[in-house]
Amino acid sequence: MKRFDLELAVGIFFLIGIACLAYLSIKLGRMEVIGYKGYAVYAKFSNVGGLKKGASVEIGGVEVGRVKDIKLDPEDYTAVVTFLLNPEVKLPEDSIAAVKTKGLIGEKYVSITPGASERAIQPGGRIRETQPPFDLSDAIGRLIYGSPGK
Amino acid sequence: MLDSAILGIRWIGKTVLFPVRILGRVGLFLATAIFWTFVPPLKVERLIRQINFIGAKSVTIVALTGAFTGMVLTLESYYALERFGADALLGPAVALSMIRELGPVISAFMITARAGSALTAEIGIMRITEQIDALEMMGLNPFRYLIVPNLLAGIISFPLLASLFNVVGIYGGYVVGVKLLGVSSGTFFGEMPQYIDLTEILHGLYKSTTFGLVVTWICCYFGYTTGYGAEGVSKATTRAVVASCVLILVCDYVITSLLF
Amino acid sequence: MIQVIDLHSTLGKQKVLDGVTLKVETGEVLALIGKSGVGKSVLLKHVVALMKGEKGKVLIDGEDITTAKGRKLEELRSRIGFLFQGGALFDSLTLFDNIAFPLREKTKMDEQKIREKVLYELEQVGLKGMEHKFPAELSGGMRKRAALARCMVTAPEIMLFDEPTTGLDPITAHSINDLIKRTHERVCFTGIVVSHEIPDIFFLVDKVAMLHEGKIVAFGTPLEIMRSSHPVVRQFITGGRREMEDVFEPIIEKLEEEFRAKGKCTQEKKDEKV
Ligand SMILES: Nc1ncnc2c1ncn2[C@@H]1O[C@H](COP(=O)(O)OP(=O)(O)OP(=O)(O)O)[C@@H](O)[C@H]1O
Ligand SMILES: [Mg+2]
């Protein structure tokens, strides 16, 4: 009887603990599904200030992929951002990638505006057109002091 | 004159070497325990008993402290975020602080207070009433019977309790944020997946696992090396709790800085 | 055979053992007497290497236990039963589990057999029906007796008893002494008994050693000790009371009688082993 109670208590404890852990990682956290299926494309930005690995890539507000990697191209000092995209989404060659901010000071994400070309970007290919993020402090500065350096 | 100089130098040597020696002893204690962890057979029955003691019996206190931590955290964060009009970030702010920092740390404090002190006292009493000697006399290794089950139980229980703390805390935050402060329920939960991914959760798990090892290790060490009499046990218990709490914070800092 | 050779030990700043030399022949029981705090328990713990002195040897059947390590130490200790002064029962286990513990951990005996054995031992020490109690629920004397049962259940060749009868009423104390005696007749263990029960203990043992100021000041048969003229010994066994001398004669006579009746026991277990 005593032993049974003990095992029951420990069993219940395990159930509660593992349920909590599972809840955290599946429901709240974006579980990185192991080997996230997708194809890689990259883009070069003059500035990606604030963009992080794992940030979402959206088309029209719908998530279609993730930022996989951010590197600096040592030759022309641009930021090379690699995306992993959902294989069902085919990007026209003349699509435009832009780094945007959710809300006023929210998280940075990448928004892609699809182009009209017939030809799709192949896996490993490059999105040629990019826009750097809108820099709030820069904009405020320009508003107050006029456009410097022009 | 020369004599007192030599005496002084000896005193300095002693005071410097003493902590180093203690450190060595504590380290050796852990090394021995790890060695015996991998020498079968494992005392499963003792392990279950200790998981019950350290883990299962701490569920209520951890859930309770978790709920209040989440609630007060939500209140504080709300007043801070509201100034910037960023109250949409309330959910993620609460969840992140809980998962990465407060969950592992506060739950470890609570378990130390509840189970760590009792662990030291129990082993200390076994030491002064010669029960540990009796084990040795039977040709049974005290590490296998007493220390290893405790360390394993700590490593298993702490992360589970920290997860419980987080979930209860986030729901506590939800109640305050949504029902009291009027943030919409969709905003509170909806934004979370954007900010939390598996690395954050793993980050929290590394911490609580480390705390589990450190707390049980320190508490077992102080119990095992108790001085004589009831006073010895009470001293050992106090020291074990203080040392555990300090080490939790030190490890917390070290792990956080290593993981970035 | 237990041999202690020139054992020195210092605890804290106090020299507790200062050159103890002692020998207990196989199959003999030795009574270790001495004032409280003189170091009897400390000496016993040195015999099983729970404490280590800074000098000297302890030989168990010719093998030095003070330098033994690992398996060797385990093997030597497994031949020794030790009754701790405080009992040292495991608080977390019931009486039954306490006594079954060494059997479960160190032998391959099946549960049915263990049950029989444990209940038998409990009955021997007068604790029948108490097997479900925890040590904390027992009186000091009951704990002592349970510890004695745990010590004897594995029937070791060597048994060391640290005050087996202290804190017991005269009747129980007598029955415990009797139990030790009967067990000795049955299995013929080699033993050391620490006891303050003078002269009762003299009827139980083959030899007596007295520890005083870190040394063995008197060693001999109970009769020799009773007749000893060593002032420290005399003072100790009379408790410093002159009038005790008068009651010595009948005791000595009784001892002589006992001594003549006592045959040398044989240790069958030893022979089986070869
Ligand atoms: N662990 C220890 N550390 C320091 N001193 C100790 C320790 N154990 C015992 N002593 C000292 O050693 C001496 C002998 O103690 P011991 O317990 O052997 O006495 P004893 O002869 O068994 O007495 P009693 O008949 O009361 O049991 C005592 O003076 C005690 O202060
Ligand atoms: Mg003693």
Side-chain angles (χ1 to χ4, degrees), chain C residues 40-42 85 162-163 194:
Chain C
K40 304 181 296 294
S41 304
V42 168
Q85 188 164 359
D162 198 346
E163 310 198 4
V194 173

Side-chain angles (χ1 to χ4, degrees), chain B residues 228, chain C residues 11-12 14 16 34-43 51 85 162-163 194 196 211:
Chain B
Y228 289 84
Chain C
L11 290 172
Q14 184 189 359
V16 180
K35 263 193 251 161
S36 176
V38 78
K40 304 181 296 294
S41 304
V42 168
L43 178 56
M51 284 182 170
Q85 188 164 359
D162 198 346
E163 310 198 4
V194 173
H196 294 296
L211 188 63

Side-chain angles (χ1 to χ4, degrees), chain A residues 55-108:
Chain A
S56 64
V57 178
E58 300 182 356
I59 296 178
V62 181
E63 187 176 299
V64 294
R66 292 284 175 73
V67 171
K68 188 186 168 216
D69 198 15
I70 301 173
K71 274 209 190 83
L72 185 72
D73 184 332
E75 276 167 23
D76 56 5
Y77 303 106
T78 53
V80 180
V81 179
T82 313
F83 311 111
L84 271 185
L85 297 181
N86 186 339
E88 283 164 27
V89 178
K90 299 278 176 253
L91 280 186
E93 234 181 9
D94 54 349
S95 302
I96 304 167
V99 177
K100 292 197 169 162
T101 310
K102 277 192 182 154
L104 200 54
I105 53 167
E107 186 191 29
K108 296 280 193 293

Side-chain angles (χ1 to χ4, degrees), chain B residues 43 130-131 136 139-140 145, chain C residues 45 89-91 105-106:
Chain B
K43 289 287 139 189
E130 300 171 321
Q131 294 176 49
E136 281 197 57
L140 305 171
Y145 282 81
Chain C
K45 284 189 186 168
L89 293 172
F90 300 123
D91 293 327
E105 299 295 333
K106 296 305 277 188

Side-chain angles (χ1 to χ4, degrees), chain B residues 4-19:
Chain B
S4 60
I6 289 177
L7 223 68
I9 290 169
R10 191 167 288 165
W11 182 82
I12 291 172
K14 236 185 198 165
T15 39
V16 171
L17 283 186
F18 187 67

